[in-house]
Amino acid sequence: MALSKYISEKEKKRISAVTLGCKLNYAETSSILQRFVDSGWQIAVEGEEPDIVFIHTCAVTRQAEQKSRQQIRRMIRRYPRSRIVVIGCYAQLQPDVIAGIEGVDVILGSAEKYDIERYITSGPDDIETYISPVSTLDTAVPAHSLLSGPGSGRTRAFLKIQDGCDYGCAYCTIPLARGRSRSVPPDTVIDGARRLALAGYREIVLTGVNIAAYRYGSCSFAGLLRRLDDVDVLRIRVSSIEPDLLTSEVIDTVSRSTRIMPHFHLPLQGGSDAMLRAMGRRYTIATYRSRLLDAVDRIPDCAIGADIVTGYPGETDDDFRSACELIGDLPIAYLHIFTCSLRPGTALARQVDTGLRRPLPPDLVKERSRQLHELGHERKQAFARRFIGRDLQVLFEEQGREEDGSITCSGYSRNYLRVRTAVSSPGEAERIAGTEQRVRVTGLGRDLDLEAIFVT
C-alpha cells in the first residue's frame, strides 16, 4: 500500500518516538520523524494519541536492553490503540525476544528503519518483522536533528557523519548491529550542517559510531572538520573520538578553529596495557597519555572526558590499580564508568564460555565501581575549580527553579562545563535561551555545576 494512500484514508496522522542510547540514535530518530513530517504526518504532542509510536532501542549493555523492553511495554500500555514499531540495535540483534512482547506490531532492522512505508502494515494481529543481515549495509544513511525555525528555542543539533565500526573490540556488540564503518559523503554532511544552521541551531554535535574513522574518497576526518569550519554556525562539537585517531592533524585543526569546541570525549576503557590487549583496543596506555596531553597542551582550556570499564573478566588488582593511578594522574575533566556487560555473539562472551576469561565476583566489581565513581568526582571537581573567577562563554539552553524559588538559566561553556546563572524572571530566561553569553564563574554548585554571574 502506498504511503500517500494510507495517509488519505487516515483521520489522524500523528507519530511519536521514544529514543534510547547514543546521540546517533537521536539523530536517526529525528530524520525518521522528518520523513513522516515531509509526507504529511504530524508529530504528536503531549495529550494526543499517535497513530504510530516507534521505540528506537539500544543494545550496548544488558541494562540498555532491559530499558528498551521497559519502554516498549510502557508505550504499549500508554497507547493501546497505537501501532507499536520497534527499531534500533536491539531490534536488529534480538527480534525474536521483541516479538514475544504482546502488543508489538512491527520490528525493523538497521537497514529497514528508514523506510517509513514499513511502519504501516495491514495485518493488525500479525507481527511484521523486517531484518536484513548487517553484511548488506554498504552506505551510511544521512541523519540529523529535526529542522526547526529560528526562535524555536532549540540550541543543539546532532549531525550523523558516519555509521558502523571496523574495530571489533572484544566486548562490543555494535558492529554486529550496525555493520562495517561507512561514511556520509562530505557534500551531504556540509549541506546538513548548513540546513541545521539556517534552521536556528547554534551548536552542531557530530555523531556516529566511530566518527574519527570518517573517510570518503580523499576526505579524511580532519579534512571534513576543516570544511565544517566554514559553515556559518556558532559551535561545532566533536564528541567521542578513539584515542588512536586523535591525531596531530585533528588536534591542530581544532586548535586553529574558533568554531570547533575545545572538547573531546576520549574513551580509555582499560587501565593497563594487558586490559587494552584483552579488549582488542588499538592503542597502549602510553599512546593514550601522549594523545591526551598533546591535546590539552595545544588547545587552551581543552576538556577531555573519558570512559572506563570496570569488572572486565580477568581484570587483576594490578590492572585496576593501574587504571586508578592513570586517571588520577591525567587532567581528565569527567569520567563515565561502565560495568562490563557480557554481550551475546562477542569475542568476550566466547572467551568466558570457554573458560579463557573468568568473571569477577559481583562484590568486587561493585567496590571497584564505587572507587572509580569517587575518583571521577575528584577529577570533575578539580577541572571545574580551575575556572572559578574566570570568564566563560556559555550557550544557554534551559531554565530551572531552585529550592528557594529563584529562577536560573543554564547551559554549557565551550569546553563542556555546565554553568548555571540566576535570572530575574522566566521571561528573561526565555530571552537568554539560545544565546551565547559571557559570564564570570563565582563557585561550584550542586552536581559540580558552575555558578556564575553575567558580565556586562
Side-chain angles (χ1 to χ4, degrees):
M1 179 184 293
L3 181 59
S4 59
K5 181 179 179 183
Y6 179 83
I7 289 175
S8 67
E9 293 173 353
K10 291 290 287 182
E11 182 178 347
K12 293 183 178 180
K13 299 170 294 187
R14 292 184 175 86
I15 188 163
S16 181
V18 175
T19 306
L20 299 99
C22 61
K23 296 179 178 69
L24 177 56
N25 273 7
Y26 280 87
E28 292 175 341
T29 291
S30 294
S31 283
I32 293 166
L33 288 172
Q34 190 72 57
R35 293 183 185 209
F36 275 95
V37 170
D38 292 344
S39 295
W41 287 63
Q42 297 178 354
I43 299 175
V45 299
E46 188 68 29
E48 292 181 339
E49 184 170 22
D51 297 278
I52 294 175
V53 178
F54 70 89
I55 301 94
H56 202 158
T57 61
C58 178
V60 70
T61 64
R62 186 182 298 111
Q63 184 181 36
E65 290 185 349
Q66 181 183 12
K67 289 181 178 179
S68 295
R69 292 191 298 271
Q70 289 171 345
Q71 281 292 350
I72 293 167
R73 293 189 176 101
R74 185 174 293 122
M75 291 302 103
I76 291 169
R77 291 194 302 268
R78 184 175 181 182
Y79 301 113
R81 294 182 294 180
S82 299
R83 190 158 203 80
I84 302 297
V85 181
V86 182
I87 68 173
C89 291
Y90 189 36
Q92 178 71 34
L93 294 173
Q94 300 289 344
D96 292 341
V97 175
I98 296 170
I101 301 175
E102 185 176 355
V104 172
D105 296 295
V106 185
I107 304 170
L108 300 178
S110 297
E112 291 78 10
K113 64 185 177 183
Y114 304 103
D115 184 356
I116 62 175
E117 291 195 24
R118 292 191 183 273
Y119 288 62
I120 306 157
T121 57
S122 57
D125 298 325
D126 297 324
I127 297 177
E128 300 288 335
T129 302
Y130 306 98
I131 308 287
S132 297
V134 293
S135 59
T136 64
L137 300 174
D138 56 3
T139 59
V141 179
H144 53 66
S145 295
L146 281 166
L147 298 174
S148 56
S152 67
R154 295 183 178 180
T155 55
R156 186 186 299 120
F158 300 129
L159 177 63
K160 174 181 174 180
I161 68 168
Q162 180 271 346
D163 202 348
C165 185
D166 296 338
Y167 273 31
C169 297
Y171 54 84
C172 185
T173 194
I174 300 307
L176 302 177
R178 285 186 171 270
R180 301 295 298 271
S181 180
R182 294 104 57 206
S183 299
V184 178
D187 288 346
T188 304
V189 173
I190 301 304
D191 179 67
R194 286 175 175 153
R195 293 176 70 192
L196 289 168
L198 288 172
Y201 287 102
R202 308 287 281 159
E203 178 173 305
I204 296 173
V205 182
L206 307 182
T207 68
V209 176
N210 186 356
I211 64 171
Y214 181 94
R215 180 163 291 279
Y216 196 94
S218 62
C219 185
S220 66
F221 180 60
L224 182 69
L225 288 180
R226 287 191 288 270
R227 289 192 60 180
L228 284 165
D229 202 24
D230 291 331
V231 176
D232 188 16
V233 67
L234 182 65
R235 295 179 171 189
I236 295 171
R237 196 172 295 276
V238 169
S239 74
S240 186
I241 179 172
E242 287 294 308
D244 55 302
L245 298 177
L246 183 59
T247 62
S248 180
E249 184 183 12
V250 171
I251 293 171
D252 184 62
T253 300
V254 175
S255 70
R256 294 171 182 270
S257 173
T258 58
R259 276 199 178 92
I260 306 173
M261 296 298 94
H263 166 223
F264 299 110
H265 190 84
L266 200 65
L268 172 59
Q269 311 301 26
S272 71
D273 284 338
M275 279 291 93
L276 293 177
R277 286 193 299 271
M279 292 175 171
R281 304 292 284 166
R282 299 192 178 191
Y283 51 89
T284 63
I285 293 298
T287 299
Y288 186 92
R289 180 191 293 273
S290 67
R291 300 291 171 89
L292 186 151
L293 293 178
D294 190 24
V296 298
D297 180 59
R298 294 164 59 188
I299 304 172
D301 296 331
C302 184
I304 306 283
D307 292 338
I308 184 74
V309 175
T310 188
Y312 197 88
E315 181 187 57
T316 67
D317 289 343
D318 286 343
D319 293 325
F320 181 70
R321 190 178 305 111
S322 172
C324 292
E325 290 174 354
L326 178 68
I327 293 166
D329 186 48
L330 291 175
I332 291 173
Y334 60 88
L335 188 65
H336 291 167
I337 300 103
F338 299 90
T339 300
C340 185
S341 179
L342 288 181
R343 312 309 302 131
T346 62
L348 178 60
R350 292 190 294 271
Q351 292 165 4
V352 170
D353 287 343
T354 58
L356 290 176
R357 304 197 73 81
R358 293 177 179 245
L360 303 184
D363 288 347
L364 178 60
V365 176
K366 184 177 181 181
E367 173 58 22
R368 288 180 177 176
S369 179
R370 183 195 65 78
Q371 292 181 40
L372 285 172
H373 276 92
E374 286 187 358
L375 184 57
H377 181 88
E378 293 171 4
R379 293 287 79 203
K380 184 177 180 180
Q381 185 178 60
F383 184 76
R385 283 191 179 280
R386 288 171 43 188
F387 297 91
I388 296 177
R390 293 180 55 184
D391 290 0
L392 295 174
Q393 293 294 121
V394 176
L395 178 57
F396 284 96
E397 298 181 357
E398 57 187 14
Q399 62 176 284
R401 187 177 294 272
E402 304 302 301
E403 293 181 358
D404 62 3
S406 61
I407 306 297
T408 59
C409 197
S410 62
Y412 285 91
S413 67
R414 295 171 62 84
N415 59 351
Y416 208 59
L417 287 162
R418 188 164 182 84
V419 181
R420 187 168 52 245
T421 305
V423 294
S424 60
S425 66
E428 183 182 4
E430 290 178 6
R431 288 192 297 273
I432 292 171
T435 67
E436 189 178 60
Q437 302 284 335
R438 185 182 176 194
V439 302
R440 183 158 299 152
V441 178
T442 58
L444 285 180
R446 66 176 187 273
D447 301 323
L448 301 183
D449 289 351
L450 292 175
E451 303 283 359
I453 58 175
F454 292 106
V455 176
T456 58

